[in-house]
Amino acid sequence: MRARSVILYSVLRLLAFLVPFGLLMLFPIFRQNGWLIGLAAVFAALIGLSLSILFLTKPRAAVSEGIAERRAHRTKPTGAELDADVEDAANAAARGETDEP
């Protein structure tokens, strides 16, 4: 996985939250009470989520491709994968299924 794509996506996601939050904090109403600051944070999170879904498709795809490549190049299966294979084989044997067509 490329570190550049992960860092770029993370920075863009942070900006998608921080810019709306900063703009909301410019309004005097949001600076009066603590719970209104929290409300501004919730609004900024929803706006940032929407922006990232709409505009960050390519960076998100690059990060997910990097994760998929890293998993595909793994040579040694993990303990959980070995355990899942053993369980699958035991379930197939209990049902009387075989690997042959």
Side-chain angles (χ1 to χ4, degrees), residues 20-72:
F21 184 69
L23 291 175
L24 287 172
M25 292 310 295
L26 291 176
F27 294 109
I29 188 76
F30 286 114
R31 289 181 278 168
Q32 290 179 357
N33 291 330
W35 68 273
L36 288 174
I37 294 173
L39 187 64
V42 169
F43 286 155
L46 291 173
I47 293 168
L49 176 66
S50 301
L51 290 174
S52 68
I53 289 172
L54 291 173
F55 298 113
L56 299 181
T57 305
K58 289 183 182 179
R60 184 175 54 245
V63 171
S64 64
E65 285 174 8
I67 292 171
E69 288 175 8
R70 186 174 179 188
R71 287 194 59 144

Side-chain angles (χ1 to χ4, degrees), residues 11-24:
V11 168
L12 290 174
R13 285 290 307 261
L14 281 172
L15 285 175
F17 170 75
L18 292 175
V19 169
F21 184 69
L23 291 175
L24 287 172

